[in-house]
Amino acid sequence: PNSDGTNDVFEIQNLPENYICLVLGGTYLTKRIPQEKIIELIDKTPNRKFVLIGGKDEFELGEQLFNQFQDQS
């Protein structure tokens, strides 16, 4: 869900070609990718688009990442 309680639903045909899907959440902290590693991965793969997946607990992180990298799209 978005911060306003709505959900974004993407049809598979609307996703960019050549993308990487990252799940931001995880039940245990040891199962989550640290933010620094996510940033490093995005920096090292500039020719790829990323789809970020997470719940309401990950919304802020997803928004931070989007804002940090939106100019690279």
Side-chain angles (χ1 to χ4, degrees), residues 25-53:
T27 303
Y28 302 102
L29 288 176
T30 56
K31 299 291 184 181
R32 295 182 188 182
I33 303 170
Q35 184 173 351
E36 304 81 37
K37 292 293 184 184
I38 294 171
I39 291 169
E40 182 181 337
L41 176 64
I42 294 171
D43 278 337
K44 288 184 176 185
T45 51
N47 297 327
R48 297 284 181 118
K49 301 290 184 189
F50 286 82
V51 176
L52 305 176
I53 297 177

Side-chain angles (χ1 to χ4, degrees), residues 1 7 9 12 18 21 24 28 31 38 41-42 44-46 52 54 56 64 66-68 70 72:
N7 287 308
V9 177
I12 192 75
N18 201 19
C21 185
L24 301 179
Y28 302 102
K31 299 291 184 181
I38 294 171
L41 176 64
I42 294 171
K44 288 184 176 185
T45 51
L52 305 176
K56 61 184 175 181
Q64 288 172 2
F66 175 79
N67 290 333
Q68 182 172 348
Q70 70 180 343
Q72 293 181 12

